[in-house]
Amino acid sequence: MRPMAQIAMVMNLDKCIGCHTCSVTCKQAWTNRRGMEYVWFNNVETRPGQGYPRRYEDQETWRGGWELNRRGALRLKAGGRLHKLAGIFSNPRLPEIKDYYEPWTYDYKNLTDAPLGDDYPVARPVSQLDGKPMKIEWSSNWDDNLAGAPAHGGLDPMVERLRRQAADKVKFEFEQTFMFYLPRICEHCLNPSCVASCPSGAMYKRAEDGIVLVDQDRCRGWRMCVTGCPYKKVYFNHATGKAEKCTLCYPRIEVGLPTVCSETCVGRLRYLGVVLYDADKVTAAAETEDEKALYEAQLGVFLDPHDPSVQVACDEAGIPYDWMEAARRSPVRALISEYRVALPLHPEYRTMPMVWYIPPLSPVVEALSETGHDGEDARNLFAAIDTLRIPLEYLAELFTAGDTAPVRSALEKLAAMRSHMRALNLGEEPDPATARAVGMRPEEIEAMYRLLAIAKYEDRYVIPTAAVGDARRLEESAVPDACSLDHAGGPGMGGNGPFGQNSGRKLLPLVSVENFHILRRRQTADTPDEAKED
């Protein structure tokens, strides 16, 4: 056993309203600069739909993720080292800007500077790449709210796969379908194919918390990582010539703060916590031959932090006590391994993703209510799950490689929770058979309800700090003083480089670690007095 810790996320799709607040705040925090105009580390897709970039799930085209060779061992779907070396200067397996979308702004200046005339001036769309007027044809949110479903919904790779199995499983007539929202970030996988694809070793997975990052100094812009990532969540910055991706807001995570997308989520649908896993089992789990068994195989990789043998192994591995305690209280672990209502996104890519999703149940309730039946009665809900307008098979293609059993099990548990809690809220005695029907006890259903419906900030985000003492020591040693090379007028002052004012080393003001802790106190305090520094 080789235990390791991973910061993981769960998103409850039942609560996502598609407001894109997470996307906008992430954009402002991480990709609001030159070269990243088209990049969204966090985007919210309407399903069914093509996604962003278009049809990223079609791995026969993009060759992302892993596959098994003839011996049953893992190999990159895009090819091994020799194949990459042969095409290192020409990689054809990349989405083009038209697959993402050409970013634009508007010529607002024309509204104020246009000469007086008989017609009204307009703000024409202008490309952010070349500054020329353009026609808007696509964007990261083009499928929003089924706007393009009749015309483009059939191009969804999951719909195509379903229709090969059953011709009319998904219909796009407005009255016969429903939609749900799917927020996506980097999966920070246990077996990341982007890391294995990088020729220069710039992509790496941090040992202390599992976050996958790009070393900007080592990146040479080969873009093999873009091809290797099956979720297409690695992007190329055309201004710097480097690859960039979601960092899981690691500066915030290190001081116990949640990611920006989690902090600003209107629906409070995101959960962050620590998951322990056995690193020695990852490769064997990823090599599971049957794709439908990959979900269970990944569950087998996770460790129980309450197990005394696991606690001993973690102590020997140097995992700090507060991380062990966070793993025991982790909402992510509870939703994934204890209640088993959260599912991975496309486990068939064999990357062992660590951003999991609770499938949506709300449309079932609404559809039942429209027919005049009780939309929250457990018997009605259990029967309706198999007759969804959008079939279980579609959800299974997203989350369990086509196996409908785990999806049905998760939806039935959510249905049982609704029925059980409604009885309690109405002062009635809940039927114990409802909990037994989904393999749970009444107290487990109530605990799951508290986590999914009314959990407080500190229950949704259980994030241990990362070596705060060392961070303070390192920060203090970097403060400019008389002995520093970077003090005013010193030889290491910086300045412009040989290629103009935008080149060369730039000195940035130091940001105190304490600032993040003050921010955390403000965001978690119930009163202004509690937010003040001690």
Side-chain angles (χ1 to χ4, degrees):
M1 180 191 299
R2 185 158 61 96
M4 298 189 74
Q6 168 88 33
I7 297 290
M9 181 182 289
V10 167
M11 301 192 207
N12 185 0
L13 300 185
D14 218 19
K15 300 170 73 175
C16 184
I17 62 174
C19 65
H20 301 278
T21 304
C22 52
S23 298
V24 173
T25 52
C26 176
K27 184 74 174 173
Q28 291 294 324
W30 292 103
T31 64
N32 189 17
R33 62 189 186 281
R34 268 194 78 235
M36 303 293 280
E37 295 91 350
Y38 77 100
V39 172
W40 297 83
F41 286 170
N42 184 111
N43 70 288
V44 182
E45 300 168 358
T46 300
R47 288 310 183 104
Q50 295 189 67
Y52 161 77
R54 277 188 274 195
R55 294 175 57 83
Y56 71 90
E57 292 159 307
D58 182 6
Q59 301 311 326
E60 296 308 312
T61 298
W62 304 123
R63 313 297 293 170
W66 302 89
E67 62 183 3
L68 300 182
N69 61 19
R70 295 178 181 178
R71 300 189 304 274
L74 288 173
R75 70 177 179 189
L76 290 169
K77 203 173 182 70
R81 294 180 180 179
L82 292 178
H83 185 273
K84 290 184 181 301
L85 183 61
I88 196 167
F89 294 108
S90 176
N91 181 10
R93 301 287 186 177
L94 288 172
E96 299 178 9
I97 194 65
K98 63 182 178 63
D99 297 307
Y100 293 102
Y101 76 103
E102 185 171 357
W104 72 87
T105 184
Y106 293 96
D107 185 12
Y108 296 110
K109 190 176 181 181
N110 188 53
L111 297 178
T112 57
D113 294 357
L116 185 64
D118 295 332
D119 54 353
Y120 290 97
V122 296
R124 296 177 299 172
V126 176
S127 171
Q128 287 186 302
L129 299 183
D130 57 18
K132 297 179 181 179
M134 61 172 286
K135 179 181 178 182
I136 300 173
E137 297 179 346
W138 192 261
S139 81
S140 61
N141 299 321
W142 202 257
D143 286 333
D144 202 23
N145 292 354
L146 284 180
H152 305 293
L155 298 175
D156 181 338
M158 301 299 102
V159 172
E160 285 185 353
R161 190 178 304 178
L162 280 181
R163 284 178 169 167
R164 286 198 295 267
Q165 301 169 4
D168 60 348
K169 275 290 185 181
V170 180
K171 299 181 175 66
F172 286 108
E173 290 79 4
F174 182 77
E175 69 278 3
Q176 290 182 297
T177 188
F178 73 81
M179 64 188 181
F180 64 94
Y181 300 108
L182 181 71
R184 289 203 308 117
I185 64 171
C186 168
E187 296 287 328
H188 296 279
C189 307
L190 298 183
N191 184 37
S193 53
C194 59
V195 173
S197 299
C198 180
S200 58
M203 301 279 296
Y204 66 100
K205 184 175 179 66
R206 297 209 309 189
E208 60 269 30
D209 53 19
I211 298 176
V212 178
L213 298 172
V214 184
D215 185 337
Q216 295 290 294
D217 290 332
R218 299 186 65 178
C219 179
R220 295 295 176 264
W222 299 120
R223 289 177 263 191
M224 297 293 181
C225 52
V226 180
T227 301
C229 174
Y231 304 97
K232 291 296 172 278
K233 278 298 175 183
V234 184
Y235 303 92
F236 182 69
N237 185 326
H238 59 81
T240 65
K242 308 285 187 178
E244 297 192 34
K245 60 178 292 299
C246 163
T247 65
L248 205 65
C249 293
Y250 72 88
R252 295 172 58 92
I253 292 289
E254 288 175 355
V255 296
L257 282 170
T259 61
V260 169
C261 59
S262 301
E263 182 82 66
T264 59
C265 176
V266 174
R268 299 183 178 182
L269 59 96
R270 301 186 186 225
Y271 299 81
L272 282 163
V274 176
V275 174
L276 301 177
Y277 68 97
D278 187 351
D280 288 336
K281 292 183 177 180
V282 171
T283 300
E287 289 177 345
T288 301
E289 184 175 359
D290 183 5
E291 288 185 346
K292 293 184 178 180
L294 284 166
Y295 163 63
E296 290 290 343
Q298 186 167 355
L299 284 178
V301 170
F302 299 141
L303 299 174
D304 182 1
H306 299 285
D307 186 338
S309 63
V310 171
Q311 295 175 8
V312 171
C314 289
D315 186 57
E316 293 175 351
I319 297 178
Y321 174 80
D322 58 336
W323 280 68
M324 286 294 300
E325 185 61 29
R328 285 188 280 269
R329 296 175 43 236
S330 173
V332 171
R333 184 197 65 83
L335 294 170
I336 292 175
S337 299
E338 186 175 341
Y339 305 132
R340 298 186 68 161
V341 293
L343 305 169
L345 182 64
H346 291 301
E348 69 272 19
Y349 298 159
R350 302 180 184 275
T351 60
M352 302 282 125
M354 288 307 293
V355 176
W356 289 41
Y357 296 86
I358 299 174
L361 181 68
S362 291
V364 186
V365 178
E366 295 168 3
L368 277 174
S369 301
E370 289 171 2
T371 62
H373 294 85
D374 188 346
E376 294 189 347
D377 182 86
R379 292 167 296 183
N380 292 340
L381 280 171
F382 288 164
I385 285 172
D386 285 320
T387 57
L388 289 172
R389 288 176 178 173
I390 189 167
L392 280 177
E393 288 84 352
Y394 184 86
L395 296 174
E397 289 291 343
L398 279 176
F399 302 123
T400 52
D403 185 7
T404 58
V407 179
R408 181 184 291 107
S409 174
L411 293 177
E412 286 177 349
K413 288 177 180 178
L414 296 175
M417 181 186 74
R418 289 188 182 224
S419 179
H420 180 91
M421 294 308 302
R422 187 186 67 163
L424 283 179
N425 292 333
L426 293 178
E428 301 172 356
E429 186 67 29
D431 184 357
T434 301
R436 286 198 302 269
V438 294
M440 299 180 72
R441 302 189 307 274
E443 54 269 26
E444 287 180 316
I445 285 186
E446 292 167 21
M448 184 170 72
Y449 169 78
R450 285 193 294 272
L451 184 56
L452 291 178
I454 57 176
K456 292 185 177 181
Y457 187 99
E458 59 269 20
D459 297 322
R460 288 184 285 124
Y461 312 129
V462 181
I463 309 167
T465 56
V468 175
D470 285 342
R472 288 201 189 100
R473 176 178 55 80
L474 293 172
E475 178 198 20
E476 289 167 1
S477 68
V479 174
D481 55 25
C483 298
S484 171
L485 295 178
D486 291 331
H487 67 276
M493 185 61 184
N496 297 331
F499 304 109
Q501 63 179 1
N502 288 325
S503 66
R505 182 175 173 225
K506 292 290 184 292
L507 295 176
L508 299 177
L510 291 168
V511 178
S512 171
V513 173
E514 286 301 320
N515 289 351
F516 285 99
H517 287 287
I518 294 171
L519 178 62
R520 185 171 187 267
R521 280 194 290 272
R522 288 176 181 171
Q523 292 173 336
T524 57
D526 293 327
T527 64
D529 291 335
E530 293 178 9
K532 293 179 180 178
E533 186 176 3
D534 297 334

